[in-house]
Amino acid sequence: MSGRDLDESLNAARAGDESGMAELWHLLNPPVLRYLRVVVGQAAEDVASETWLQAARDIRCFRGDAAGFRVWLFRVARNRALEELRRSGRRREDPAGLYAAPERPSRDDPEREAVERLATRSALRLIAELPANQAEAVMLRVVVGLDVTQTAEVLGKRPGAIRIAAMRGLRRLATVIDDGGVLEAGHSNATATMEEVAE
Amino acid sequence: MNERRSRNLDAVLAAAAAPAYADERNEQAFAAVLTAFREAGTELGTAERRAEALIPAPRTSAEEPARRARQRALQRGGSHSLRLAAQYAAVLGIFVGAGTAAASAGILPSPMQSFAHQILGGLGVPGPSPESSPSGGSTASASPDPSATAGGPQAGSTSGTEPGEQTAGTPAPSGPATQTALQSLCGQVVSSEGNWRKVLSGQDKAQLIAAAGSEKKVYQYCTDLLNLSGGAGATPATTPAEKTGGPSPSTGPNQENVPTPQPSSTSTHGKGKGGGGNGDTTSGAMPTAGV
């Protein structure tokens, strides 16, 4: 997702163009959904729908750039998720919902996509097992791609707290993976990732 | 962190951030979002059209009288408040004006007069006089006031009204003594050849100034007083008792020969200028003039 595409889509949607709104949804719904799967698990799709309904109603009144829109959208998603957690009485770190997510057949390469989806779901499950603040920080920083300031705005915390939470989350995640021997694939440098998160 | 651990972590993160899958772009959810987007646009467009057209909300004929009544009520409320404020201001002004006038006339009770003198002394409001209270007035006229002949400022004030008046009019037993003291002081003043301020003590100066009316008139007063003693050049006295013409006991044969040290002393009583000395002068004149 490029910032320019997101800006153009945002401007079109604000002007009332349905295609702009569709582009926004296609660009941002997957990360929103994954973030919500970590936070609320099984109810992620319902909460994502509520989030987008509110975004569709209020986007014409939104003032800001694409980065600001992403922050606003994830704040809406988080608020809806917290409401859902209060409603259901579940703890945030309960990852039960991740296992119950329905699987849909892929159109292009069903076998390959099924494997990748399984890997993604496993990864989200591991992240969801982290403490809530660490899981959210890791998701927003590493998976969604927000910077420290934006993540702090979404979570309502100071940037320093976000840095610490993300770093601890990654260390803990590495320990969990190491202990469980999960996923042998991957060639990039995790140390560099952690340093990047800490910046 | 070893390399294997690093690779595992990166693999997990890469899987979490993998490109979107088909099930993450649910068409049904997208359709609902688009529907909400259209509805919001329709509502917003309607509102914008109304705002752009500047068409006021249609009022029925039944609503119009009620609206006008509300406007009238609002206007009445505002004018009523203004009218009430004006009335309060007028009443307050009357009270202030009356109080100032009363203070200037010196007819307020002592505490209030003292307070008014502190605040409005610059405007000529005199200080409180001992006779301003009902009991004080009667006492001053009927019974001798020991402080009136004492050596303090009040003593000076008493003696400062009229020498003759003090002698004959005021039933003060020390009247002749005061007259004698003044004559003695005046003798020092005349003999000092202009340096009487250095010769006399502060108490004596205050007594003389009170008797003369002001510091500048002390020498003239003493000259007149001593001339009276010598029986030459006396000016008929214009004491308040004589002005009122009342049967004052002070109007004896000597009274006519009492010099008028300061013709303005009578007016000084009313104005009360010059601070405590003149204010006390007023108090000294009150029993005679006011009764």
Coordinates of all heavy atoms in Angstrom, one line a residue, chain B residues 34-94:
Chain B
L34 N -20.3 0.0 1.3 CA -20.7 0.9 0.2 C -22.1 1.4 0.4 O -22.4 2.6 0.1 CB -20.6 0.1 -1.1 CG -19.3 0.2 -1.8 CD1 -19.4 -0.4 -3.2 CD2 -18.7 1.6 -1.9
T35 N -23.0 0.6 0.9 CA -24.4 1.0 1.2 C -24.4 2.2 2.2 O -25.0 3.2 2.1 CB -25.2 -0.1 1.7 OG1 -25.2 -1.2 0.7 CG2 -26.6 0.3 1.9
A36 N -23.6 1.9 3.3 CA -23.5 3.0 4.3 C -22.9 4.3 3.8 O -23.3 5.4 4.1 CB -22.7 2.5 5.5
F37 N -21.9 4.1 2.9 CA -21.3 5.3 2.3 C -22.3 6.1 1.4 O -22.3 7.3 1.5 CB -20.1 4.8 1.4 CG -19.3 5.8 0.8 CD1 -18.4 6.6 1.6 CD2 -19.3 6.1 -0.5 CE1 -17.7 7.6 1.0 CE2 -18.6 7.1 -1.1 CZ -17.7 7.9 -0.3
R38 N -23.1 5.3 0.7 CA -24.1 6.0 -0.2 C -25.1 6.7 0.7 O -25.5 7.9 0.4 CB -24.8 5.0 -1.1 CG -24.0 4.5 -2.2 CD -24.8 3.7 -3.2 NE -24.0 2.9 -4.0 CZ -23.9 1.5 -3.9 NH1 -24.7 0.9 -3.0 NH2 -23.1 0.8 -4.7
E39 N -25.6 6.1 1.7 CA -26.6 6.7 2.5 C -26.1 7.9 3.2 O -26.7 8.9 3.3 CB -27.1 5.7 3.6 CG -27.9 4.5 3.0 CD -28.3 3.5 4.1 OE1 -27.8 3.6 5.2 OE2 -29.0 2.6 3.7
A40 N -24.8 7.8 3.7 CA -24.2 9.0 4.3 C -24.1 10.2 3.3 O -24.4 11.3 3.7 CB -22.9 8.7 4.9
G41 N -23.8 9.8 2.1 CA -23.7 10.9 1.1 C -25.0 11.5 0.8 O -25.1 12.7 0.6
T42 N -26.0 10.7 0.7 CA -27.3 11.2 0.5 C -27.8 12.1 1.6 O -28.3 13.2 1.3 CB -28.3 10.0 0.4 OG1 -27.9 9.1 -0.6 CG2 -29.7 10.5 0.0
E43 N -27.6 11.7 2.8 CA -28.0 12.6 3.9 C -27.2 13.9 3.9 O -27.7 15.0 4.1 CB -27.8 11.8 5.3 CG -28.7 10.7 5.4 CD -28.3 9.9 6.7 OE1 -27.4 10.3 7.4 OE2 -29.0 8.8 6.9
L44 N -25.9 13.7 3.7 CA -25.0 14.9 3.7 C -25.4 15.9 2.5 O -25.4 17.1 2.7 CB -23.6 14.5 3.6 CG -22.6 15.6 3.8 CD1 -22.7 16.2 5.2 CD2 -21.2 15.1 3.5
G45 N -25.7 15.2 1.4 CA -26.0 16.1 0.2 C -27.3 16.8 0.5 O -27.4 18.0 0.1
T46 N -28.3 16.2 1.1 CA -29.5 16.9 1.4 C -29.3 18.0 2.3 O -29.8 19.1 2.1 CB -30.5 15.9 2.0 OG1 -30.6 14.7 1.1 CG2 -31.9 16.5 2.2
A47 N -28.5 17.8 3.3 CA -28.2 18.9 4.3 C -27.5 20.0 3.6 O -27.8 21.2 3.9 CB -27.4 18.3 5.4
E48 N -26.5 19.6 2.7 CA -25.8 20.7 2.1 C -26.7 21.5 1.1 O -26.5 22.7 1.0 CB -24.6 20.1 1.3 CG -23.5 19.6 2.2 CD -22.4 18.9 1.4 OE1 -22.6 18.7 0.2 OE2 -21.3 18.7 2.0
R49 N -27.5 20.8 0.5 CA -28.4 21.5 -0.4 C -29.3 22.5 0.3 O -29.6 23.6 -0.1 CB -29.3 20.6 -1.2 CG -28.6 19.9 -2.4 CD -29.6 19.2 -3.3 NE -30.2 18.1 -2.7 CZ -29.7 16.9 -2.6 NH1 -28.5 16.7 -3.1 NH2 -30.4 15.9 -2.0
R50 N -29.8 22.1 1.5 CA -30.6 23.0 2.3 C -29.8 24.2 2.7 O -30.3 25.3 2.7 CB -31.1 22.2 3.5 CG -32.3 21.4 3.2 CD -32.8 20.7 4.5 NE -33.9 19.8 4.3 CZ -34.4 19.0 5.2 NH1 -33.8 18.9 6.4 NH2 -35.4 18.2 4.9
A51 N -28.6 23.9 3.1 CA -27.7 25.0 3.6 C -27.4 26.0 2.5 O -27.4 27.2 2.7 CB -26.5 24.4 4.3
E52 N -27.1 25.4 1.3 CA -26.7 26.3 0.2 C -27.9 27.1 -0.3 O -27.8 28.3 -0.7 CB -26.2 25.4 -1.0 CG -24.8 24.8 -0.7 CD -24.4 23.9 -1.8 OE1 -25.2 23.6 -2.7 OE2 -23.3 23.3 -1.7
A53 N -29.0 26.5 -0.3 CA -30.2 27.2 -0.7 C -30.7 28.3 0.3 O -31.4 29.2 -0.1 CB -31.3 26.3 -1.0
L54 N -30.1 28.2 1.5 CA -30.5 29.1 2.5 C -32.0 29.2 2.7 O -32.6 30.3 2.9 CB -29.9 30.5 2.3 CG -28.4 30.6 2.3 CD1 -28.0 32.0 1.9 CD2 -27.9 30.2 3.7
I55 N -32.6 28.1 2.6 CA -34.1 28.1 2.7 C -34.4 27.8 4.2 O -34.0 26.8 4.7 CB -34.7 27.0 1.9 CG1 -34.4 27.2 0.4 CG2 -36.2 26.9 2.1 CD1 -34.8 26.1 -0.5
P56 N -35.0 28.8 4.8 CA -35.3 28.5 6.2 C -36.3 27.4 6.3 O -37.1 27.2 5.4 CB -35.9 29.9 6.7 CG -36.4 30.5 5.5 CD -35.5 30.1 4.3
A57 N -36.4 26.8 7.5 CA -37.3 25.8 7.7 C -38.7 26.3 7.6 O -39.0 27.4 8.1 CB -37.1 25.2 9.1
P58 N -39.5 25.7 6.8 CA -40.9 26.2 6.6 C -41.6 26.3 7.9 O -41.7 25.4 8.7 CB -41.5 25.2 5.7 CG -40.7 23.9 5.9 CD -39.4 24.4 6.2
R59 N -42.3 27.5 8.1 CA -43.0 27.7 9.3 C -44.5 27.7 8.9 O -44.9 28.3 7.9 CB -42.7 29.0 10.0 CG -41.3 29.1 10.5 CD -41.2 30.3 11.4 NE -39.8 30.6 11.7 CZ -39.1 31.5 11.1 NH1 -39.6 32.2 10.1 NH2 -37.8 31.7 11.4
T60 N -45.2 27.0 9.7 CA -46.7 27.0 9.5 C -47.2 28.3 10.1 O -46.6 29.0 10.9 CB -47.3 25.8 10.2 OG1 -47.1 25.9 11.6 CG2 -46.7 24.5 9.7
S61 N -48.4 28.6 9.7 CA -49.1 29.8 10.2 C -49.3 29.7 11.7 O -49.4 30.7 12.4 CB -50.4 30.0 9.5 OG -51.2 28.9 9.6
A62 N -49.4 28.5 12.2 CA -49.7 28.3 13.6 C -48.4 28.6 14.4 O -48.4 29.0 15.6 CB -50.2 26.9 13.9
E63 N -47.3 28.3 13.8 CA -46.0 28.5 14.5 C -45.6 30.0 14.6 O -44.9 30.4 15.5 CB -44.9 27.7 13.8 CG -45.0 26.2 13.9 CD -44.0 25.5 13.1 OE1 -43.3 26.2 12.3 OE2 -43.8 24.3 13.4
E64 N -46.0 30.8 13.6 CA -45.5 32.1 13.5 C -45.9 33.0 14.8 O -45.1 33.6 15.3 CB -46.1 32.8 12.3 CG -45.5 34.1 12.0 CD -44.0 34.0 11.7 OE1 -43.5 32.9 11.3 OE2 -43.3 35.0 11.8
P65 N -47.2 32.9 15.2 CA -47.5 33.7 16.4 C -46.7 33.3 17.6 O -46.2 34.1 18.4 CB -49.0 33.5 16.6 CG -49.5 33.1 15.3 CD -48.4 32.3 14.6
A66 N -46.5 32.0 17.8 CA -45.7 31.5 18.9 C -44.3 32.0 18.8 O -43.7 32.4 19.8 CB -45.7 30.0 18.9
R67 N -43.7 32.0 17.6 CA -42.3 32.5 17.5 C -42.2 34.0 17.8 O -41.3 34.4 18.5 CB -41.9 32.3 16.0 CG -40.4 32.6 15.8 CD -40.1 32.4 14.3 NE -40.8 33.3 13.5 CZ -40.4 34.6 13.2 NH1 -39.3 35.0 13.8 NH2 -41.1 35.4 12.5
R68 N -43.2 34.7 17.3 CA -43.2 36.2 17.7 C -43.4 36.4 19.2 O -42.8 37.3 19.8 CB -44.3 36.9 16.9 CG -44.0 37.0 15.4 CD -45.1 37.7 14.7 NE -44.8 37.8 13.3 CZ -45.7 38.2 12.4 NH1 -46.9 38.6 12.8 NH2 -45.4 38.3 11.1
A69 N -44.2 35.6 19.8 CA -44.4 35.7 21.2 C -43.1 35.4 22.0 O -42.8 36.1 22.9 CB -45.5 34.8 21.7
R70 N -42.3 34.4 21.5 CA -41.1 34.1 22.1 C -40.1 35.3 22.0 O -39.4 35.7 22.9 CB -40.5 32.9 21.5 CG -41.1 31.6 22.0 CD -40.2 30.4 21.7 NE -40.0 30.2 20.3 CZ -40.7 29.5 19.5 NH1 -41.8 28.9 20.0 NH2 -40.5 29.4 18.2
Q71 N -40.1 35.9 20.8 CA -39.2 37.0 20.6 C -39.6 38.2 21.5 O -38.7 38.8 22.1 CB -39.2 37.4 19.1 CG -38.5 36.5 18.2 CD -38.5 37.0 16.8 OE1 -39.2 37.9 16.4 NE2 -37.7 36.3 15.9
R72 N -40.9 38.4 21.6 CA -41.3 39.5 22.4 C -41.0 39.3 23.9 O -40.5 40.2 24.6 CB -42.8 39.7 22.3 CG -43.2 40.5 21.0 CD -44.6 41.0 21.2 NE -45.6 39.9 21.3 CZ -46.2 39.3 20.2 NH1 -45.9 39.7 19.0 NH2 -47.0 38.3 20.4
A73 N -41.1 38.0 24.3 CA -40.8 37.7 25.6 C -39.3 37.9 25.9 O -38.9 38.4 27.0 CB -41.1 36.2 25.9
L74 N -38.5 37.5 24.9 CA -37.0 37.8 25.1 C -36.7 39.3 25.2 O -36.0 39.7 26.0 CB -36.3 37.1 23.9 CG -36.2 35.6 23.9 CD1 -35.5 35.1 22.7 CD2 -35.3 35.2 25.2
Q75 N -37.4 40.0 24.3 CA -37.1 41.5 24.4 C -37.6 42.1 25.7 O -37.0 42.9 26.3 CB -37.8 42.1 23.2 CG -37.2 41.8 21.8 CD -38.0 42.3 20.7 OE1 -39.1 42.8 20.9 NE2 -37.5 42.1 19.5
R76 N -38.8 41.6 26.1 CA -39.3 42.1 27.4 C -38.3 41.8 28.5 O -38.1 42.6 29.4 CB -40.7 41.5 27.7 CG -41.8 42.3 27.0 CD -43.1 42.0 27.7 NE -43.4 40.6 27.7 CZ -44.0 39.9 26.7 NH1 -44.5 40.6 25.7 NH2 -44.3 38.6 26.8
G77 N -37.9 40.6 28.5 CA -36.9 40.1 29.5 C -35.7 41.0 29.5 O -35.3 41.5 30.6
G78 N -35.2 41.4 28.4 CA -34.0 42.2 28.3 C -34.3 43.6 28.8 O -33.5 44.2 29.6
S79 N -35.4 44.2 28.3 CA -35.7 45.6 28.7 C -36.1 45.6 30.2 O -35.8 46.6 30.9 CB -36.8 46.1 27.9 OG -38.0 45.3 28.1
H80 N -36.7 44.5 30.7 CA -37.0 44.5 32.1 C -35.8 44.5 33.0 O -35.7 45.2 34.0 CB -37.9 43.3 32.4 CG -38.3 43.1 33.8 ND1 -39.1 44.0 34.5 CD2 -37.8 42.3 34.8 CE1 -39.3 43.6 35.7 NE2 -38.5 42.6 35.9
S81 N -34.8 43.8 32.5 CA -33.5 43.7 33.3 C -32.9 45.1 33.3 O -32.4 45.6 34.3 CB -32.6 42.7 32.7 OG -33.2 41.4 32.7
L82 N -32.9 45.8 32.1 CA -32.3 47.1 32.1 C -33.0 48.1 33.0 O -32.4 48.9 33.7 CB -32.3 47.6 30.6 CG -31.3 46.9 29.7 CD1 -31.5 47.4 28.3 CD2 -29.9 47.2 30.2
R83 N -34.4 48.0 32.9 CA -35.1 48.9 33.7 C -34.9 48.7 35.2 O -34.7 49.6 36.0 CB -36.6 48.7 33.4 CG -37.5 49.9 33.8 CD -38.9 49.6 33.4 NE -39.1 49.2 32.0 CZ -39.8 48.2 31.6 NH1 -40.4 47.4 32.5 NH2 -39.9 47.8 30.3
L84 N -34.8 47.4 35.6 CA -34.5 47.1 37.0 C -33.1 47.6 37.4 O -33.0 48.2 38.5 CB -34.6 45.6 37.2 CG -34.8 45.1 38.6 CD1 -36.1 45.6 39.1 CD2 -34.7 43.6 38.6
A85 N -32.2 47.5 36.5 CA -30.8 48.0 36.8 C -30.8 49.5 37.0 O -30.2 50.0 37.9 CB -29.8 47.5 35.7
A86 N -31.6 50.2 36.1 CA -31.6 51.6 36.2 C -32.3 52.0 37.5 O -31.8 53.0 38.2 CB -32.4 52.2 35.0
Q87 N -33.3 51.3 37.9 CA -33.9 51.7 39.2 C -33.0 51.5 40.4 O -32.9 52.3 41.3 CB -35.2 50.8 39.4 CG -36.3 51.2 38.5 CD -37.5 50.2 38.5 OE1 -37.4 49.2 39.2 NE2 -38.6 50.5 37.9
Y88 N -32.3 50.4 40.3 CA -31.3 50.1 41.4 C -30.3 51.3 41.4 O -29.9 51.8 42.5 CB -30.6 48.8 41.2 CG -31.4 47.6 41.7 CD1 -31.6 46.5 41.0 CD2 -32.0 47.7 43.0 CE1 -32.4 45.5 41.4 CE2 -32.7 46.6 43.5 CZ -32.9 45.5 42.7 OH -33.6 44.5 43.2
A89 N -29.8 51.7 40.2 CA -28.8 52.7 40.2 C -29.3 54.0 40.7 O -28.6 54.8 41.4 CB -28.3 52.9 38.7
A90 N -30.6 54.3 40.4 CA -31.2 55.6 40.8 C -31.3 55.6 42.4 O -30.9 56.6 43.0 CB -32.6 55.8 40.2
V91 N -31.8 54.5 42.9 CA -31.9 54.4 44.4 C -30.5 54.5 45.0 O -30.3 55.2 46.0 CB -32.6 53.1 44.8 CG1 -32.5 52.9 46.3 CG2 -34.0 53.1 44.3
L92 N -29.6 53.9 44.5 CA -28.2 53.9 45.0 C -27.7 55.3 44.9 O -27.0 55.9 45.9 CB -27.3 53.0 44.2 CG -25.9 52.8 44.8 CD1 -25.9 52.2 46.2 CD2 -25.0 52.0 43.8
G93 N -27.9 56.0 43.8 CA -27.5 57.4 43.7 C -28.1 58.3 44.7 O -27.5 59.2 45.3
I94 N -29.4 58.1 44.9 CA -30.1 58.9 45.9 C -29.5 58.7 47.3 O -29.2 59.7 48.1 CB -31.6 58.6 45.9 CG1 -32.3 59.1 44.7 CG2 -32.3 59.2 47.2 CD1 -33.7 58.6 44.5

